[in-house]
Amino acid sequence: MSAAGVKRSVGALFGALLLAMTAGCTGGDGSPSPHDSTSFGGRAGRVLAVKIDNVAPARPHTGLEKADVVYVEQVEAGLSRILAVYSSEVPPVIGPVRSARETDLELLRQFGRPVLAFSGAQGRLLPVIDRAPLDAVPPSKAPGAYFRGPGRPAPHNLYLRPGRIPFEASGADAVEALGLKTGATPSGGEPEDSRTVRYPSASVTFSWSAGRERWLVSLDGAPARTSEGGRLGAGTVVVQEVTVRPSEFRDRSGNVSPFTETVGAGSAVVLRDGRAHDVRWSRPSADADTVYTASDGRRIELAEGPLWILYAPRGGSGSATAP
């Protein structure tokens, strides 16, 4: 068997082990307890946001392929981290789960009052999270919802069982909470086979597959796969140029945590159906949705499938390039 085949087999076995552990830890008939939930109906909808590790020891990811929206943002040491948002479907296991950042609090204001699952946070940030308009469910508040998976060292082995937290999928796609919708391919744009977003110590590449009608994801130059061996893909990709500045917080090693400004305006590129469209993004306040408009002023509509939004730092600390 080739090295790639071995990796896929190990990933599939790991995914099966996680599902078996989850099944063995549920109570009663194994189904999650029902919880109150609402449809989106404007800004009243609830979503589940999970902070996910994105370094090599954390891969392959589990449950990321089921996310409606995947955000990628810069963290300490020039690395990247993922914030995955679920609503239409929630997998039985998600992870590896990592710590929250200040950026997440402003970003998530677009979803009304979401549920946020994360492994913890810098001590001074925890009171800020408690005051934020969201329902925080770290392990300290929901210990039965988290477990350590086999075969990986901490901290890259913490996983969430969403069925054990106060959240139930609404069945509606989370992009609706952002005021976005799917629709016909916009006119114009330039043909594009691949686009790479580079951070100081990380990269994400999207390669168009006409056969799959997906932008296939690569992380740090390697194809991104699920824990069961499938390729991660996006229906639509937004590369949004933003200001990334130092925050008031540091990680345990003393590195300053960057803060990504998601309120404001600027340029973005939307990747759809093998083409790249230059657009403008605007979000006037934390309570407002982010609007993406083409040069004619029309809002950009999305393709079916997961939406990936990458925050590309302005000013040389990161970049987005086509080959």
Side-chain angles (χ1 to χ4, degrees):
M1 182 181 292
S2 67
V6 170
K7 289 182 179 179
R8 286 193 292 271
S9 297
V10 171
L13 177 60
F14 180 66
L17 283 170
L18 290 182
L19 291 175
M21 291 179 68
T22 303
C25 293
T26 53
D29 62 358
S31 61
S33 299
H35 302 291
D36 291 337
S37 63
T38 59
S39 61
F40 285 130
R43 303 187 61 81
R46 290 166 62 85
V47 303
L48 169 63
V50 185
K51 201 62 186 282
I52 296 179
D53 205 348
N54 195 31
V55 295
R59 302 171 193 148
H61 296 106
T62 297
L64 185 57
E65 71 277 10
K66 300 297 185 182
D68 295 328
V69 186
V70 177
Y71 291 97
V72 182
E73 63 190 53
Q74 183 176 323
V75 292
E76 300 81 16
L79 297 170
S80 66
R81 195 160 286 182
I82 288 170
L83 185 66
V85 180
Y86 300 83
S87 180
S88 62
E89 184 179 0
V90 179
V93 179
I94 300 172
V97 180
R98 288 301 300 271
S99 54
R101 295 294 184 273
E102 184 185 13
T103 295
D104 305 325
L105 307 184
E106 180 177 276
L107 187 164
L108 288 172
R109 293 278 296 275
Q110 298 173 97
F111 293 98
R113 189 177 182 90
V115 176
L116 174 61
F118 58 105
S119 65
Q122 200 267 357
R124 292 175 52 235
L125 182 59
L126 288 172
V128 181
I129 294 174
D130 288 340
R131 294 192 298 269
L134 54 79
D135 295 324
V137 284
S140 60
K141 292 185 179 180
Y146 293 86
F147 68 95
R148 294 285 178 184
R152 295 184 186 183
H156 312 294
N157 62 350
L158 183 67
Y159 292 84
L160 170 72
R161 304 181 189 92
R164 289 179 162 242
I165 63 173
F167 176 81
E168 184 177 359
S170 69
D173 195 314
V175 298
E176 295 179 23
L178 297 174
L180 300 171
K181 62 180 182 179
T182 59
T185 303
S187 60
E190 296 292 333
E192 183 121 344
D193 294 327
S194 179
R195 173 75 56 139
T196 296
V197 178
R198 292 182 174 86
Y199 300 94
S201 303
S203 67
V204 185
T205 298
F206 298 91
S207 301
W208 175 244
S209 170
R212 301 189 189 187
E213 297 184 331
R214 284 287 185 274
W215 295 92
L216 300 182
V217 183
S218 295
L219 299 172
D220 299 331
R225 299 190 180 276
T226 71
S227 58
E228 297 180 345
R231 282 295 300 270
L232 281 175
T236 307
V237 178
V238 177
V239 181
Q240 184 172 330
E241 294 186 2
V242 295
T243 297
V244 179
R245 58 172 173 78
S247 75
E248 299 179 358
F249 303 97
R250 296 176 180 267
D251 67 10
R252 64 180 60 189
S253 299
N255 298 308
V256 175
S257 298
F259 179 81
T260 298
E261 295 184 1
T262 59
V263 172
S267 300
V269 173
V270 173
L271 304 180
R272 264 210 64 174
D273 306 311
R275 302 183 74 85
H277 302 265
D278 292 326
V279 304
R280 296 287 297 174
W281 70 269
S282 176
R283 186 184 177 199
S285 68
D287 293 326
D289 297 327
T290 304
V291 176
Y292 301 99
T293 53
S295 57
D296 60 4
R298 295 184 180 182
R299 292 195 180 196
I300 290 290
E301 295 182 336
L302 310 179
E304 296 285 348
L307 168 64
W308 282 58
I309 298 177
L310 290 88
Y311 293 122
R314 296 183 179 117
S317 59
S319 61
T321 60

